[in-house]
DNA sequence: CGGAAATGGTTCCACAAGGGATTGACTAGG
DNA sequence: CCTAGTCAATCCCTTGTGGAACCATTTCCG
């Protein structure tokens, strides 16, 4: 039962000079791990979300699920709370609450679906668009910073490989399970 | 300010036939996103952790931070709570509580550091090792399943590229910030 | 049609999470 | 050798989270 991803050569030099025990442990978590791939994307997710949502919290006073709603609307305007819930795996009551907060702030507006009176398609207000416009560059910038060690070609490769994995999960999960 | 990762060709066919609105939205979140790379690893992290920690919860009655401690000890025995905290970004008090629970269950033992009586190096008990031994295959298997769409060569490539990104973050974060 | 099952959204409540202060142990400086 | 400052671990308390029950509307099916 070998690790499905071999520890790559690029990692080895680091092992030689661990500055502290902590570095050594973090290093072990990332490289000496039967689930190396999982450890790595979890690490990336952590190091990406932690600072960004921390900043969103202190800059706008918005919690993570609240901001996720804005972000979702930025991608697909008119999406409903349930859809965001299903897609992001936040529980729907959490999102319901969040929508309430956002509506009270005037950054989101609850619309009405013509064909289904239960559904509430959500829309960004101009204020919401402004807020999102201020926040997005940070998100883009940190991603850019993360990818900085890679050349353009490598980014393309990485993108393509991740795409394959994600699509696999997407199909397996949304339909199969 | 274009997306730093272009939407790869492999994704396009899917757009043509979205079975439901939800699929369409999830798809947009993954591919029509200025932070495509972030969206993808966040998606993978979600789809990986959700089922596994759900299973751990119902199988062993262990919360995520509790299991993370066991997992950490599996990788590096004798690591302390603080080190796990720093490395995984779980708050120390959460881990302290978790260690308490695990100790009470008899799966973890609080040792004593010879040179520093403040520190409590943690160790797996035989029961803890058994528990971990039962759980690990699930984690390995799901990772394997995720990587299944990739050939061995592609896995190597992905591993190498992720390694570059992670190492960049590792250095930037632990020392720079 | 009409009742049963399903679905979008909200409300209630128990509980765990994590920020902040506290204790106890080590280390450096007067 | 005592004091100030740091660090590991724990405790307390507020808050957000998310499971479950709950309405309103819609869809399914006899």
């Amino acid at each position: 039962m070998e690790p499905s991803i071999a520890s790559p050569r690029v990692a080895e030099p680091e092992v030689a000079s661990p500055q502290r025990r902590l570095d050594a442990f973090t290093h072990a978590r990332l490289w000496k791990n039967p689930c190396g791939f999982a450890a790595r994307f979890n690490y990336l997710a952590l190091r990406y979300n932690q600072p960004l949502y921390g900043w969103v919290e202190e800059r706008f006073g918005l919690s993570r699920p609240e901001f996720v709603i804005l972000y979702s609307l930025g991608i697909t305007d008119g999406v409903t709370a349930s859809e965001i819930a299903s897609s992001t795996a936040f529980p729907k009551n959490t999102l319901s609450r969040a929508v309430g907060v956002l509506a009270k702030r005037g950054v989101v507006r609850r619309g009405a679906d013509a064909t289904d009176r239960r559904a509430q398609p959500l829309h960004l207000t101009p204020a919401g668009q402004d807020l999102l416009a201020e926040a997005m560059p940070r998100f883009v910038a940190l991603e850019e910073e993360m990818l900085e060690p890679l050349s353009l070609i490598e980014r393309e490769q990485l993108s393509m490989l991740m795409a394959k994995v994600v699509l696999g999960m997407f199909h397996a999960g949304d339909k199969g399970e």
Side-chain angles (χ1 to χ4, degrees), chain A:
Chain A
M1 200 160 293
E2 277 293 285
S4 38
I5 284 199
S7 297
R9 245 160 293 123
V10 68
E12 296 310 334
E14 296 307 313
V15 181
S17 66
Q19 294 200 335
R20 303 193 309 256
R21 269 176 62 91
L22 173 58
D23 280 4
F25 171 55
T26 302
H27 209 277
R29 264 188 53 240
L30 289 169
W31 309 116
K32 308 279 169 68
N33 193 327
C35 304
F37 183 51
R40 285 167 221 179
F41 63 61
N42 270 316
Y43 181 78
L44 292 184
L46 182 75
R47 294 295 303 276
Y48 185 76
N49 297 321
Q50 198 94 357
L52 286 177
Y53 286 108
W55 174 78
V56 164
E57 170 65 43
E58 79 167 21
R59 172 70 185 83
F60 303 111
L62 291 180
S63 72
R64 181 163 174 182
E66 281 154 14
F67 189 79
V68 164
I69 292 176
L70 293 182
Y71 197 108
S72 300
L73 291 176
I75 291 170
T76 305
D77 194 66
V79 80
T80 71
S82 311
E83 286 165 344
I84 300 177
S86 302
S87 181
T88 63
F90 281 99
K92 51 182 179 170
N93 48 10
T94 297
L95 291 179
S96 175
R97 228 187 338 252
V99 169
V101 172
L102 294 173
K104 189 157 292 179
R105 279 213 179 195
V107 289
V108 153
R109 178 173 56 79
R110 286 183 239 234
D113 190 306
T115 67
D116 188 340
R117 269 191 297 170
R118 293 170 306 176
Q120 300 183 341
L122 302 172
H123 301 282
L124 288 173
T125 64
Q129 288 167 7
D130 290 350
L131 195 159
L132 196 57
E134 181 184 343
M136 283 308 297
R138 286 248 177 174
F139 283 71
V140 174
L142 186 53
E143 170 165 323
E144 171 59 30
E145 195 181 314
M146 286 177 57
L147 291 171
E148 201 244 323
L150 301 186
S151 71
L152 277 180
I153 293 173
E154 287 174 323
R155 294 179 195 197
E156 281 293 334
Q157 280 184 350
L158 180 57
S159 175
M160 193 267 288
L161 294 170
M162 295 272 289
K164 276 198 182 181
V165 176
V166 166
L167 277 179
M169 293 290 278
F170 187 56
H171 290 137
D174 281 352
K175 289 139 197 171
E177 278 173 26

